[in-house]
Amino acid sequence: MLARRVRNGNADPAAEGVRMPRDFDHRREALVGSMYDAVLDASLWSVVLEGIADLTDSAAALIHGYSVDRKMYTFHDLGRIDPDCKRRHELYHIANPWMRSSRFTAGYVVRSDELIPLAQLKRTGFYDDVLRPQNIAHGTIVNVISRPEFKVSINVERSEAKGPFSAADIAVLNSLLPHLRRACELRLRLLDYQAAAQNERDALDALSTGIVTFDAGHRVLFANKVARAQAEELSLRLDAGTDVSGPPAVTKAFRALIGDAVRGGAGGSARLRRGDGSDIGVTVAPVRGRALDHTSHHASARPAVIALMVDASRTRDAAVALLAARHGLTPAELRVAVALAQANGMTAAAAMLGISLNTLKSHTKRIYGKIGIRGHAELVQSVGQIARTLGPSM
């Protein structure tokens, strides 16, 4: 038989007539627990892989994610695999005889000796560069997750002296695969979430407006790149989990605005003087909705107040950010709104953002719906009205 498959979620080697060591169940349960721990702590995958190798009387194991479209590995974790050999694998031997296993659906355990005989394998550059330096000759390969665009595979490998994988070894792997698959699915969801969270942070950092959020206790939750730079110019500290600190006159004005917004007021605006004599306009408002309630930058508490910091000569940017805060726009929608307010028409705004006109239209439909306006002209009018209210002197 070329491959063996997990038949159910509770594969049991003993049920397949395979005799296991006395402590097998205990070691297996501990290993399963480590798999789920590794979802949140990726550094534990090496421990998991070493445990799989030990449980199957093998030398090493590795797990990797492979992007089919990009033809590259996007992550890998090693259990006693030599990093230099893995690097040569990725540089020169992505196409190799063991990759033939990728045509099998998720859950099939494939022996390397059934993909290519060992004598033939030894005549390949893959063996000379990657396997032989590690004293590896036999392997089992399983597509743990197999999607058209992405695959997660695990290899368990051993020396020529240990010989090909037996029915008992395959039974052990089958007993682990349901848990390994669930752990990998959770890992991919977490990676997707982290990528989306990074996109949100990038969107906030790309704005010309400084954005700071505070919890109900006046503590800083998040400050984007522009806000941190402006705070330095004002000698302010915006450390996460603490109150604003710095020169008494500046912090007093800042804290008064935050306190008013926390108590249910509208907040307000002020001008804060920089060392070069120019001003930074600060506008503080309560947070509406849950658009900024993202644990990527609000891990400890929900935001209650948002502060917008902008060069006093660029009040239109601050006006757009304030409009976004009032109506619960997401960071991506805020970036679109800034472009719409700055550009002369939809085509120019799409070019400014580097997106298609159709993509921009789908964003603007949501933005206009949240704000309660009917089009680009009304957005520009609303921004202008807010901008005229900003900028009172301290």
Side-chain angles (χ1 to χ4, degrees), residues 293-353:
D293 189 14
H294 201 304
T295 54
S296 67
H297 36 263
H298 297 137
S300 58
R302 289 189 60 193
V305 174
I306 184 170
L308 311 170
M309 303 173 67
V310 67
D311 188 294
S313 64
R314 305 186 66 173
T315 55
R316 288 184 69 83
D317 290 351
V320 176
L322 181 56
L323 188 68
R326 287 176 176 172
H327 296 282
L329 301 191
T330 67
E333 290 167 347
L334 170 55
R335 192 177 181 189
V336 170
V338 169
L340 289 168
Q342 293 176 349
N344 184 20
M346 295 280 286
T347 302
M352 185 184 297
L353 292 165

Side-chain angles (χ1 to χ4, degrees), residues 24-41 44-45 47-49 51-52 55 175-176 178-180 182-184 186:
F24 171 80
D25 288 339
H26 174 74
R27 292 167 62 196
R28 177 183 174 277
E29 289 306 311
L31 185 56
V32 167
S34 296
M35 289 180 192
Y36 293 110
D37 290 341
V39 173
L40 296 178
D41 184 355
L44 295 177
W45 276 107
V47 176
V48 171
L49 293 165
I52 292 174
L55 211 58
S175 75
L176 296 172
H179 300 285
L180 190 60
R182 292 187 196 113
C184 287
L186 290 171

Side-chain angles (χ1 to χ4, degrees), residues 48-383:
V48 171
L49 293 165
E50 290 171 8
I52 292 174
D54 291 342
L55 211 58
T56 57
D57 196 24
S58 301
L62 74 152
I63 192 166
H64 46 221
Y66 181 74
S67 172
V68 177
D69 296 335
R70 296 161 64 190
K71 292 183 172 58
M72 64 177 291
Y73 293 102
T74 59
F75 70 81
H76 64 255
D77 296 287
L78 312 178
R80 302 196 195 104
I81 294 288
D82 184 280
D84 289 334
C85 291
K86 177 61 178 172
R87 196 173 300 112
R88 288 195 290 273
H89 173 199
E90 294 184 10
L91 285 173
Y92 307 114
H93 300 290
I94 285 183
N96 66 73
W98 286 7
M99 278 293 286
R100 297 169 189 169
S101 63
S102 64
R103 69 179 184 266
F104 295 99
T105 57
Y108 281 92
V109 180
V110 185
R111 294 184 179 95
S112 63
D113 301 87
E114 295 168 328
L115 294 171
I116 179 173
L118 180 57
Q120 186 178 341
L121 178 67
K122 287 182 175 181
R123 295 195 293 270
T124 66
F126 174 60
Y127 180 81
D128 286 338
D129 293 344
V130 178
L131 302 181
R132 185 169 58 82
Q134 301 179 87
N135 192 28
I136 289 172
H138 304 283
T140 59
I141 307 99
V142 191
N143 290 322
V144 182
I145 294 176
S146 185
R147 300 174 183 169
E149 76 288 355
F150 197 83
K151 298 182 185 297
V152 177
S153 303
I154 182 171
N155 292 27
V156 184
E157 302 170 352
R158 58 168 53 157
S159 67
E160 184 174 4
K162 285 289 185 181
F165 284 78
S166 67
D169 302 322
I170 301 299
V172 170
L173 280 175
N174 278 340
S175 75
L176 296 172
L177 278 177
H179 300 285
L180 190 60
R181 182 171 58 250
R182 292 187 196 113
C184 287
E185 287 170 347
L186 290 171
R187 182 182 191 179
L188 291 183
R189 288 185 195 175
L190 184 60
L191 289 173
D192 289 342
Y193 170 84
Q194 290 170 340
Q198 184 61 52
N199 288 339
E200 292 236 331
R201 289 193 291 271
D202 291 345
L204 290 173
D205 280 340
L207 298 172
S208 60
T209 301
I211 294 180
V212 190
T213 54
F214 300 87
D215 64 15
H218 304 197
R219 292 176 291 270
V220 175
L221 292 175
F222 169 81
N224 72 346
K225 185 188 297 183
V226 173
R228 294 192 297 272
Q230 291 169 331
E232 282 190 21
E233 295 174 352
L234 296 167
S235 299
L236 280 177
R237 294 182 64 90
L238 297 175
D239 298 329
T242 65
D243 292 344
V244 175
S245 60
V250 177
T251 55
K252 181 179 179 181
F254 219 128
R255 289 172 179 171
L257 295 172
I258 295 169
D260 180 68
V262 167
R263 291 189 295 272
S269 301
R271 283 179 182 264
L272 305 178
R273 186 60 52 88
R274 287 187 283 209
D276 62 4
S278 61
D279 291 340
I280 291 177
V282 177
T283 300
V284 176
V287 171
R288 306 297 185 191
R290 301 181 66 117
L292 292 172
D293 189 14
H294 201 304
T295 54
S296 67
H297 36 263
H298 297 137
S300 58
R302 289 189 60 193
V305 174
I306 184 170
L308 311 170
M309 303 173 67
V310 67
D311 188 294
S313 64
R314 305 186 66 173
T315 55
R316 288 184 69 83
D317 290 351
V320 176
L322 181 56
L323 188 68
R326 287 176 176 172
H327 296 282
L329 301 191
T330 67
E333 290 167 347
L334 170 55
R335 192 177 181 189
V336 170
V338 169
L340 289 168
Q342 293 176 349
N344 184 20
M346 295 280 286
T347 302
M352 185 184 297
L353 292 165
I355 60 177
S356 70
L357 190 57
N358 286 336
T359 301
L360 178 62
K361 286 178 179 177
S362 67
H363 280 291
T364 56
K365 185 177 180 180
R366 291 193 298 271
I367 292 168
Y368 296 161
K370 286 183 178 182
I371 297 175
I373 56 179
R374 290 172 292 183
H376 183 223
E378 288 190 21
L379 174 66
V380 173
Q381 183 181 10
S382 298
V383 170

